[in-house]
C-alpha cells in the first residue's frame, strides 16, 4: 500500500544484527508494550540514532517519554493486550495515510493480484 519496504523485528532481534543494515534515510517505528524494558528501549533508540535513522515511538501514556524524533501516545491506560491491538490499528492508519501522501493506489497493489488461479 505504501510502496515502502517494511520489516518487523523484536527489539532484541533487531539489536543483534539488522540494525547494522539500516541507517540514513531509514525510519524505525518502535511499538512499546510491557514486554519492552526501558533499558532495551534506550539501547534500541540510541543504536537507531547512531546509524542515522529517524525514530518514532508509539507508547501508552503510562510509559515515560523518551528521546526520539516523534512520539505517538495512546491516551488511555489499558491492559497490555489492548495496547498491542491499538498499536496495530494506529499502524494501519499510518500505512493508509503514507500511501495516500505518496500517491499510491490504495485499493490495488501494483503488479500484484489478489486472485490466484490454479489448474
Amino acid at each position: 500500500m505504501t510502496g515502502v519496504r517494511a520489516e518487523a523485528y523484536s527489539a532484541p532481534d533487531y539489536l543483534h544484527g539488522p540494525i547494522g543494515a539500516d541507517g540514513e534515510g531509514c525510519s524505525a517505528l518502535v511499538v512499546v508494550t510491557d514486554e519492552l524494558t526501558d533499558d532495551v528501549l534506550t539501547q534500541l533508540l540510541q543504536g537507531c540514532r547512531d546509524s542515522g535513522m529517524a525514530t518514532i515511538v508509539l507508547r501508552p501514556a503510562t510509559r515515560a517519554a523518551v528521546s526520539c524524533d516523534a512520539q505517538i501516545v495512546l491516551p488511555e491506560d489499558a491492559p497490555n493486550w489492548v495496547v498491542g491491538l491499538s498499536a496495530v490499528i494506529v499502524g494501519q492508519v499510518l500505512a493508509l495515510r503514507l500511501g495516500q501522501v505518496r500517491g499510491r493506489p490504495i485499493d490495488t497493489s501494483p503488479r500484484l493480484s489478489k486472485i490466484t488461479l490454479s489448474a
Side-chain angles (χ1 to χ4, degrees):
M1 172 188 302
T2 64
V4 174
R5 179 185 66 88
E7 297 182 45
Y9 296 99
S10 70
D13 286 343
Y14 192 67
L15 286 168
H16 290 291
I19 196 168
D22 293 328
E24 194 75 31
C26 293
S27 299
L29 172 61
V30 180
V31 179
V32 178
T33 60
D34 288 349
E35 293 79 20
L36 185 58
T37 67
D38 290 338
D39 290 341
V40 172
L41 177 59
T42 300
Q43 184 181 4
L44 176 64
L45 292 172
Q46 185 61 51
C48 290
R49 271 192 302 278
D50 290 348
S51 67
M53 296 174 68
T55 53
I56 303 102
V57 172
L58 173 58
R59 66 176 177 82
T62 55
R63 293 293 291 265
V66 293
S67 178
C68 60
D69 295 303
Q71 293 188 61
I72 301 169
V73 180
L74 301 172
E76 298 295 324
D77 185 20
N80 194 50
W81 70 270
V82 174
V83 172
L85 180 60
S86 299
V88 168
I89 294 168
V90 169
Q92 289 175 330
V93 172
L94 288 172
L96 173 64
R97 187 66 185 122
L98 180 59
Q100 291 170 331
V101 166
R102 297 186 77 217
R104 301 282 299 181
I106 300 304
D107 295 324
T108 60
S109 184
R111 298 179 300 281
L112 292 179
S113 171
K114 293 183 179 183
I115 300 172
T116 302
L117 301 176
S118 59

